[in-house]
Amino acid sequence: MEIKSLSELHGLNYSVDDIISISQTKDVMSFFNCIGSPKPTHLLLYLDSCSGQYTQKDGTKLTAKSGDIVYCPIGSEYTVSFFDYNGDDSCTIGINFMMFGESGQPLALADRVTILRADNANYHSLFYKMANLSLTNPMSFSAHKSALYRILTELTEFSRRTYEAKYSIISKGIAYLEDDNAQELSIKEISKMCNVSEIYFRKLFKEYSGMSPNEYKINSRIIKAKRYLQSDLSVSEISEHAGFSDVSYFVKVFREKTGLTPLQYRKSLNNS
């Protein structure tokens, strides 16, 4: 299963399915154990007016507070004890779901239980909307998907803003690498633009994107090329619009990244 962080998910064409949400009050929630029975789906759990102590299979402990969102990936095993109830309205709202990448491969946000602290008041209303949908309109799959996409979008945008603040020192270099019309510069020259050494620029950029500057630029161009392939433009025109100077090189790289030639990819779109 491919793991993509929230900041990486921001730029992906992903899909969600098999969505089930459930709300539990303090009267029925106290302890949960799935050690020996790995989670069959992903779970996002919102804690309202309570806390939770998670113990993972390897013994690692995590404490989630009221307002936190806990992500439990498919296959995870853990126990959780809830406490610090603050009134009769204390509850948890969980969303079970599956997530897939553009080519249908399963995706995960992490390989273990993770606490997401996004400090966003919107999550309260967004999770309660999901809980309400499960009661009032359980068969409206599109409504459930729309609500979950909204939650994931809020999470990814917050993560992206956090990353951008942390890596603001190389923001000019990031913008330059995303500009297909910019003059070709070496990574050393782009590093000078940010007033940092090439080694430090490469280190920060790897942390920021999960890939090297050149890999990032190529991937950005392939994403643009996929969009252009939905139009009637020729392969040579798409190659130029996506920032490739040579058509043969564009076809070669596109096949390496997708397993298909540009024309085969266009045909697959028409047949889907």
Side-chain angles (χ1 to χ4, degrees), residues 69-90:
I69 299 170
V70 182
Y71 170 68
C72 304
I74 185 172
S76 57
E77 299 180 51
Y78 57 88
T79 64
V80 56
S81 299
F82 295 100
F83 60 99
D84 268 356
Y85 301 115
N86 185 16
D88 294 334
D89 293 333
S90 299

Side-chain angles (χ1 to χ4, degrees), residues 158-226:
F158 176 85
S159 178
R160 189 72 170 179
R161 287 194 300 272
T162 303
Y163 261 61
E164 287 173 353
K166 181 178 179 181
Y167 301 109
S168 60
I169 191 173
I170 61 170
S171 59
K172 288 184 179 178
I174 294 169
Y176 193 89
L177 288 166
E178 291 177 342
D179 185 358
D180 296 329
N181 297 316
Q183 177 188 356
E184 287 288 340
L185 293 179
S186 67
I187 302 305
K188 184 176 182 179
E189 291 172 314
I190 295 174
S191 303
K192 285 183 179 179
M193 182 191 304
C194 302
N195 296 314
V196 297
S197 69
E198 180 179 354
I199 292 175
Y200 189 57
F201 179 84
R202 288 183 180 276
K203 176 180 179 295
L204 282 183
F205 196 91
K206 180 74 172 180
E207 290 179 5
Y208 169 79
S209 67
M211 59 189 80
S212 72
N214 286 328
E215 287 173 329
Y216 184 84
K217 190 166 188 175
I218 290 294
N219 281 0
S220 296
R221 290 177 173 179
I222 293 299
I223 290 171
K224 288 183 174 68
K226 287 179 177 179

Side-chain angles (χ1 to χ4, degrees), residues 224-242:
K224 288 183 174 68
K226 287 179 177 179
R227 293 172 183 156
Y228 284 127
L229 282 164
Q230 298 176 42
S231 70
D232 294 327
L233 293 174
S234 68
V235 171
S236 60
E237 289 173 322
I238 292 170
S239 173
E240 181 179 353
H241 284 311

Side-chain angles (χ1 to χ4, degrees), residues 57-124:
K57 188 177 181 180
D58 62 2
T60 303
K61 294 182 181 296
L62 298 170
T63 301
K65 303 177 298 182
S66 177
D68 287 345
I69 299 170
V70 182
Y71 170 68
C72 304
I74 185 172
S76 57
E77 299 180 51
Y78 57 88
T79 64
V80 56
S81 299
F82 295 100
F83 60 99
D84 268 356
Y85 301 115
N86 185 16
D88 294 334
D89 293 333
S90 299
C91 72
T92 61
I93 300 174
I95 305 172
N96 295 282
F97 64 101
M98 297 297 290
M99 183 165 57
F100 306 94
E102 186 174 7
S103 61
Q105 79 276 17
L107 290 183
L109 298 176
D111 61 355
R112 57 196 295 109
V113 176
T114 305
I115 297 174
L116 308 175
R117 295 190 172 107
D119 299 324
N120 188 328
N122 287 341
Y123 293 116
H124 185 277

Side-chain angles (χ1 to χ4, degrees), residues 7 21 28 32 36 66 162 177 207-208 235 251 257 261 266 271:
S7 57
S21 57
V28 296
F32 175 78
S66 177
T162 303
L177 288 166
E207 290 179 5
Y208 169 79
V235 171
V251 174
K257 294 292 183 180
T261 66
R266 173 178 277 170
N271 291 336

